[in-house]
Amino acid sequence: MEEKKTSENFMVKLASFIVNKRKAFIALFALACIYSAISIPKVDVIDDLTEYLPESTETRQGLDIMNEEFTTFGSAKVLVSNITYDKALALSKELESIAGISAVSFYDEDSDIDDSDERGDYYRDASALYTITLEEEEDTFVSQEAMVQMRGILSEYSSYVYSTVDKDDAASLKEDMRVIVVIVIFIILVVLIFTSKTYMEIVIFLVVFGVAALLNMGTNYWFGEISFVTNAVGAVLQLALAIDYAIIFFHRFMEEHETEDTTQATIIALSKAIPEISSSSLTTVSGMVALMFMQFGIGMDLGSVLTKAIIISLLTVFLLMPALIMMFSKAIDRTVHKNFVPAIRFWGKAVVKLRFVGIPIFLAIVAAACVLSGKCPYIYDVNSIESSKKNEFLASKERIQETFEVTNTMAVVVPKGDYDKEGKILKRLEAMEEVDTALGLANVEVSDDGKYILVDKLSPREFSEVAEVDLDLVRLLYQFYALENEQYSAFMKNLEDYRISIIDMIDFIYEQKEKGGIEFDDELSEEIDDLYQAVCDARKQLEGETYDRLVFTLKGPVEGEETFAVVDRIRNLAQEYYDEVYVVGDATSNQDLSSSFQRDNVIISVLTALFVGVILLFTFQSAGLPFLLVLTIQGSIWINFSFPYLTSSTMYFLSYLVVSSIQMGATIDYAIVITSRYLSLRKEMDNRKEAVIEALNQSFPTIITSGTILTSAGFVIGYLTNNAVIASLGKVLGRGTLISIILVMTVLPQLLLIGDKLIDKTELTRASKSEQEKEEHSDEKKK
């Protein structure tokens, strides 16, 4: 008793300090808002999820090497429908003439071998498919300008552009989120008006939410960079997850204000709200912390930002909201209105009456859902997510796939220098049924008959035939090369036996031309320049300082067991020649994500349930009660993730990891609200059925407020953004929250009523109470 009084006195003193120093806190929050407003533009947003792959994965290591050593030129696939072949061929020439475009791949029957199958790869069903290669990387001005001009020409046709060159996900998502935030705010206003006791509280809530969101977005600058997922949904989730805190505090204030003046009511309400809200927030924080244990770095990113968001929301409610209540106290009193939330005792009576039917049905559904959720078909490729609203990128991909096959470009990165080994790997890749094309310096053909490749070492006569240059001039060039490289043995032996690789000879000839060491006529000089530029472009893409890159295109889907098996075969093939091999591409990225998902899935599920269970154990001092609450929410999670299997759809793996954690951490609060009310009421009421009915009735306003906002926010995000990742997260979160609300308002009260004896028997304080009763009984006997 003494400890409880001491605790209460401390809370009252803390609350009094906060209320008395309210002006200082307002000034502090104003400065923090200015800092955050300045910091928000400085936050670096990462659009590529592969950036969050663990450093130990092959894809991450391979991507780092490719970013450092190779140049990847921008590219695009363009489909033009309702066009004749002749017009399509003419259009390919027009596109190729655009500055910044280096090549347009299309079938030309006048210059290509007449092969109907090859033509079908480019022109089919009155549709033409062009593969565009740009002269520079995709983020340069030249590439961007080339895309603008290309789109200008294509505007006259029915065209579909599939490219990441001018794909601006950040701008598109920002535009979507503006609309989403407006709609979510409107929903919040409607819900708050419905559940409010005074209209002024809505203004106070919006100020508190706005400040908390601003501070969280601004302090993201501390992390340096965040993912586009976190950046997009962070504010909306913060709003939905933390809205309970402001509602609990304000409703406490209104209760106290019935008998106390504003200052005293605020102090008393705050002293009671701080421990209650802090305890409630722990379950939500535990879900976010569980995300941070993911091997996939997006978990740490999202978990840390949302944990910070909840802490900031708590501080804003505890430190700023009391000042706002004091500031607008007269307006609060003037705008008090009747309660719009109806009593739902009828619902409670129905739930109690059907408890012996409801629980068996629930257990049967949960058992089935547990099995079916384990069969959920997960996908790992971001471009394979089913989305209600599609951006141009995905819409174009789907349209192209209707007529043509979209291949998956990948690369094998190996140590530089051994062209023989590279050539053998490339030949074996080309022989694979699943591989469409394979390209490396070791298989670039330089003769029409395919006899010679770029890295072949040729004699002067062979080089003369390939280059169609006078043999005497070639011999002279070979002598110059030998002198320049101090290879004097070439003069000691027959010059015809001296062999130089084509690629080295092209470099040498260009160098001599630039130095003026050898003069060429204008036509030959221009040919040398073109040839040297082509070799340079090939080297930028395929040859680095320490590694070489072999690029190949894979047929079929970008993920799945069969695709992953093909990737493993290619990796094993390359490892026959090299100890160090990196296979890189969307397929390997998806394979790495699939592997990390197995681990992350177990860790998040176990840690979230464990954290929440421990928190509930200490909150309610009962070993049986946490089991009933976690069973209810975990049941809702299983039901949520059985939907993809039942509807024959797919589930993006990240949606499962993130939403399962948020759903457990956030919606367990709804169960806590009802359980706390029930435990309190059953001490006052003799009839426990009536206690359950009243607990549901009293908890309804809080649950309907927070639950409606989180559900609505999820569905609005899911159906109004064209970013497939965000859309998937939103839909699954909205559906999961709705299922949690239904189970909490129906099954949980039934479990509490039937499990009442279990709650009593597993109460941790039961033993100490029994000991205390024995001591009191013994004292009475002695007296």
Side-chain angles (χ1 to χ4, degrees), residues 345 681 685 689-699:
R345 291 183 182 87
L681 288 168
M685 306 172 72
K689 293 179 184 177
E690 289 297 324
V692 166
I693 294 169
E694 189 57 34
L696 271 176
N697 185 57
Q698 292 183 14
S699 305

Side-chain angles (χ1 to χ4, degrees), residues 417-424 426-427 440-447 449-460 462-464 466 478 481 498-506 535 539:
D418 197 326
Y419 294 129
D420 289 337
K421 288 181 179 179
E422 291 178 27
K424 290 174 182 177
L426 289 166
K427 282 181 181 178
L441 287 178
N443 74 342
V444 176
E445 296 179 357
V446 293
S447 57
D449 58 3
K451 183 178 179 181
Y452 299 116
I453 59 174
L454 189 61
V455 295
D456 279 345
K457 292 184 177 181
L458 306 185
S459 67
E462 290 169 335
F463 189 88
S464 173
V466 171
Y478 267 56
Y481 183 93
Y498 184 44
R499 309 182 79 83
I500 305 171
S501 68
I502 298 173
I503 191 170
D504 288 339
M505 200 60 199
I506 291 171
V535 169
R539 271 188 159 150

Side-chain angles (χ1 to χ4, degrees), residues 50 194 223 276 301 326 375 388 418 437 556 623 675 678 681 699 715-716 741:
T50 58
F194 177 70
F223 299 128
E276 182 182 353
D301 180 74
M326 294 293 293
K375 297 180 179 180
S388 301
D418 197 326
T437 60
T675 304
Y678 169 69
L681 288 168
S699 305
F715 283 131
V716 168
I741 293 171

Side-chain angles (χ1 to χ4, degrees), residues 473 476-477 480 508-509 512-520:
L473 176 58
L476 182 62
L477 290 170
F480 267 114
F508 175 74
I509 293 172
Q512 294 303 313
K513 183 184 80 69
E514 291 297 297
K515 285 181 180 179
I518 304 176
E519 293 186 3
F520 301 94

Side-chain angles (χ1 to χ4, degrees), residues 364-438:
I365 291 174
V366 166
C370 179
V371 174
L372 295 179
S373 64
K375 297 180 179 180
C376 180
Y378 294 105
I379 58 172
Y380 306 91
D381 181 54
V382 68
N383 294 322
S384 300
I385 304 172
E386 297 173 0
S387 178
S388 301
K389 184 181 177 184
K390 290 181 171 48
N391 57 25
E392 183 199 26
F393 182 80
L394 292 178
S396 296
K397 179 187 177 185
E398 289 183 6
R399 177 61 185 86
I400 292 172
Q401 284 179 325
E402 289 176 10
T403 310
F404 301 93
E405 183 177 24
V406 177
T407 53
N408 173 29
T409 303
M410 299 187 64
V412 177
V413 178
V414 295
K416 176 183 176 181
D418 197 326
Y419 294 129
D420 289 337
K421 288 181 179 179
E422 291 178 27
K424 290 174 182 177
I425 293 173
L426 289 166
K427 282 181 181 178
R428 291 178 65 179
L429 282 175
E430 289 175 323
M432 291 179 66
E433 185 181 347
E434 299 86 357
V435 175
D436 187 35
T437 60

Side-chain angles (χ1 to χ4, degrees), residues 182-197:
V182 170
I183 294 174
V184 169
I185 289 174
F186 174 76
I187 292 170
I188 290 172
L189 283 172
V190 172
V191 173
L192 290 179
I193 289 171
F194 177 70
T195 59
S196 67
K197 295 182 179 180

Side-chain angles (χ1 to χ4, degrees), residues 327-338:
M327 186 183 300
F328 299 112
S329 59
K330 292 181 180 178
I332 291 172
D333 292 337
R334 284 198 303 268
T335 58
V336 172
H337 60 77
K338 70 174 184 177

Side-chain angles (χ1 to χ4, degrees), residues 85 89 93 106-114 118 448:
Y85 170 76
L89 181 60
K93 306 294 184 186
F106 187 71
Y107 183 77
D108 187 346
E109 58 188 9
D110 294 330
S111 60
D112 294 337
I113 298 172
D114 189 11
E118 185 175 344
D448 294 336

